Amino acid sequence: MILNLNDPASILAWWQVLPQRHGSQLLAMARLRPQFAPAIQAALRRIRADAGLNSLFERGLTAAALAPLRPAGHWQTAADEDLAEPVH
C-alpha cells in the first residue's frame, strides 16, 4: 500500500489496515510533520464523524496507551499466542 499523506482518503485507507497502531501514529505524524497536518486532520474528522470508525479509533488509542504496560513476550492476539514463540 502506498500512503499519500496529502490525501485524506489515502490516510483513511491506511489507518483502516491496522487501526490499533495507525491511530497513534497519525496523531504523532500530525504533530511531527506539520506539512501533512491538514490532510491528517481531515482524515481524523472523517473517522470522528462515523460512529463505528470513531469507536475503532478510540479502542486503538487505548490499546496503544496500554502497550508499554504489557510484559515482554505478551502477544496482542490469541492467534499470535498460538503461532508465535516469545523472542529471548
Side-chain angles (χ1 to χ4, degrees):
M1 167 176 254
I2 296 175
L3 171 61
N4 179 351
L5 287 171
N6 289 308
D7 178 14
S10 176
I11 294 167
L12 182 60
W14 175 79
W15 170 79
Q16 288 178 308
V17 170
L18 195 60
Q20 64 270 29
R21 289 194 184 158
H22 291 169
S24 58
Q25 290 175 341
L26 280 178
L27 296 176
M29 279 191 276
R31 194 176 64 252
L32 297 171
R33 303 280 189 216
Q35 68 270 32
F36 302 122
I40 292 171
Q41 293 302 324
L44 291 172
R45 281 193 298 276
R46 291 182 189 181
I47 292 168
R48 296 283 189 198
D50 182 290
L53 294 179
N54 188 47
S55 175
L56 194 57
F57 183 78
E58 292 297 330
R59 284 195 313 258
L61 291 182
T62 301
L66 295 175
L69 303 177
R70 292 186 182 122
H74 178 81
W75 304 103
Q76 292 188 356
T77 66
D80 286 340
E81 284 183 24
D82 293 339
L83 299 174
E85 294 183 21
V87 177
H88 297 285

